[in-house]
Amino acid sequence: MPKNKSIVLLAAGHACVDVYQGAVAALVPFFVAERAYTYAAASGLVLAASLLSSVAQPLFGVLTDRYAVPWLLPVSTVLGGLGMALSGVSGSYPLTLLFVALSGVGVAAYHPESARVARVVGRGSHRSMGWFSLGGNVGFAAAPLLVSVVIATGGLRFSPLLILPALIGSVLTLPVLRALDEAPSPAGDKRAAKGRDDWASFVRLSLAVVCRSVVFVGMSTFVAFHVRARTGGGTAAGTVALFVLYLGGAVGTVVGSRLAHRWDRVAVVRTSYLSTVAAVAGVVFVPGPAIYPCVALTSVGLYVPFSLQVTLAQDYLPTRVGTAGGITLGLTVSVGGLTSPVIGRFADATSLRTALMPLIAMPAISWLLFRTLPEPAVPELPGDGAEAAREAGSDAPERSGL
């Protein structure tokens, strides 16, 4: 199968999975409205999706570094959709938490193996990883619209319809898995990779991504409520803000991939985090409709580093690309979700704007962690040398990609 077709299918499948990461936050206002949940109770749903995902993600990363398990892609996709589809069926809060957690496990199982497969079928191309990451961002962006259309039509009892993206995504991965089975060699697995793992740089990068995810998950959970309060609008105003937040992520991923052709990835990520500090401050303090551009700039600033951090992590750990990809694509997002209940309780005790103020410091911490990070050497993947050379050309920054 041609590389571009494989990446398009993987990106589409990634979109279908990450719908369920975005759907958790998109469902929160409906749970609040229909079941009268407090901020703390609603953010507990985000915690449920995050907690099991945080525990499971490293385990799946280790598994994919030891064995090729591409069948996890369709299975985990269906699992993620099934949990979210069942979340609105029962009025029981514990059962709702259980179903949301089940969806989180599915998402956790998907990301490490999908990152490994994307690296293999993309033959080490940073551009391919960028398109794969973009698929996930599109899924995030589509989640508020999908949830609004389904749940606003018939309430939470219509949540079983949310399994449709999972069924579509699982089918889209099948041609890629067949092509992998027919491949003549296991290119890209741990035993074939070359290079030395730089754990110190990887840990610093991971901490920076955790700070980034605290901002993004906090915004995802509460920006709809915050924008409604700042603009005086209704539910539609909050849904638009959430859509802008997610759509800006897709734009930021494309921009980041293009900027990496001119400058090295570490410099692009560092500059992006620094500029995001002002954007987050705008979301917290700017009143009226002007808050929407601030939401957009925050999202773009947080997502310019997204695919670049995945390739950086895989280059820092060339013999453990499953672990590296899984952590940067999934675990750090899940860890960010662990802070949502803290924000929720603080908002219940004070005000939502006061609770969001600490988020301004998070991208500044990410910038500090990236200040002295080195641009990693490019590990050699079997069979990708010629293509990498063609893609890089004479552009030094591009040679620092995958």
Side-chain angles (χ1 to χ4, degrees):
M1 180 183 294
K3 181 187 75 171
N4 289 346
K5 183 177 179 181
S6 295
I7 288 296
V8 168
L9 289 175
L10 283 174
H14 194 188
C16 292
V17 171
D18 276 8
V19 159
Y20 300 111
Q21 283 194 327
V24 180
L27 281 168
V28 163
F30 293 98
F31 281 115
V32 170
E34 196 166 316
R35 299 183 181 173
Y37 288 169
T38 64
Y39 284 138
S43 58
L45 298 177
V46 180
L47 175 63
S50 302
L51 191 58
L52 275 182
S53 184
S54 298
V55 174
Q57 195 99 223
L59 300 179
F60 285 112
V62 171
L63 175 67
T64 59
D65 283 331
R66 291 178 63 86
Y67 309 101
V69 283
W71 55 265
L72 264 181
L73 271 63
V75 171
S76 60
T77 300
V78 172
L79 187 63
L82 182 63
M84 201 58 59
L86 295 174
S87 66
V89 172
S90 170
S92 165
Y93 185 71
L95 274 179
T96 301
L97 288 174
L98 176 63
F99 292 139
V100 170
L102 179 68
S103 179
V105 172
V107 171
Y110 175 84
H111 282 103
E113 181 64 6
S114 66
R116 184 194 69 83
V117 171
R119 182 179 175 95
V120 172
V121 302
R123 294 190 285 275
S125 166
H126 170 65
R127 186 177 288 109
S128 294
M129 185 61 75
W131 283 109
F132 171 71
S133 301
L134 176 63
N137 304 150
V138 171
F140 260 104
L145 299 181
L146 175 67
V147 168
S148 293
V149 168
V150 172
I151 306 303
T153 300
L156 290 172
R157 63 188 178 88
F158 271 36
S159 67
L161 293 176
L162 296 177
I163 200 173
L164 291 177
L167 299 178
I168 295 170
S170 62
V171 170
L172 290 175
T173 62
L174 297 180
V176 180
L177 302 191
R178 284 197 294 269
L180 285 175
D181 287 338
E182 296 167 1
S185 64
D189 68 14
K190 177 186 173 183
R191 292 165 295 177
K194 298 180 181 180
R196 186 172 63 183
D197 293 335
D198 182 358
W199 281 100
S201 294
F202 176 75
V203 169
R204 287 165 58 196
L205 179 145
S206 298
L207 290 173
V209 181
V210 167
C211 292
R212 169 216 171 271
S213 71
V214 168
V215 181
F216 187 77
V217 176
M219 288 288 179
S220 298
T221 307
F222 297 109
V223 72
F225 301 111
H226 180 64
V227 168
R228 286 165 59 183
R230 301 296 286 172
T231 61
T235 303
T239 300
V240 169
L242 198 58
F243 176 70
V244 169
L245 183 73
Y246 291 165
L247 183 62
V251 174
T253 301
V254 174
V255 171
S257 180
R258 292 186 177 277
L259 290 176
H261 290 285
R262 291 183 171 271
W263 299 281
D264 67 67
R265 291 167 293 175
V266 171
V268 172
V269 173
R270 188 168 55 229
T271 303
S272 181
Y273 278 136
L274 187 59
S275 64
T276 304
V277 176
V280 176
V283 173
V284 174
F285 294 110
V286 170
I291 196 172
Y292 288 106
C294 295
V295 172
L297 290 174
T298 295
S299 183
V300 171
L302 292 173
Y303 268 93
V304 163
F306 190 76
S307 68
L308 307 185
Q309 289 170 153
V310 177
T311 61
L312 282 168
Q314 290 181 330
D315 287 352
Y316 285 138
L317 301 184
T319 70
R320 300 177 184 273
V321 296
T323 297
I327 287 176
T328 49
L329 276 172
L331 174 62
T332 46
V333 174
S334 303
V335 171
L338 301 181
T339 63
S340 289
V342 178
I343 298 173
R345 288 187 179 278
F346 194 21
D348 287 333
T350 57
S351 69
L352 186 53
R353 188 176 73 165
T354 302
L356 293 177
M357 287 180 186
L359 298 184
I360 299 171
M362 293 294 104
I365 296 173
S366 294
W367 172 74
L368 287 171
L369 288 165
F370 260 89
R371 275 197 66 192
T372 56
L373 269 182
E375 182 74 24
V378 184
E380 182 180 345
L381 290 176
D384 75 341
E387 179 159 346
R390 286 196 299 272
E391 188 171 317
S394 60
D395 190 343
E398 178 63 8
R399 286 198 297 273
S400 68
L402 269 177

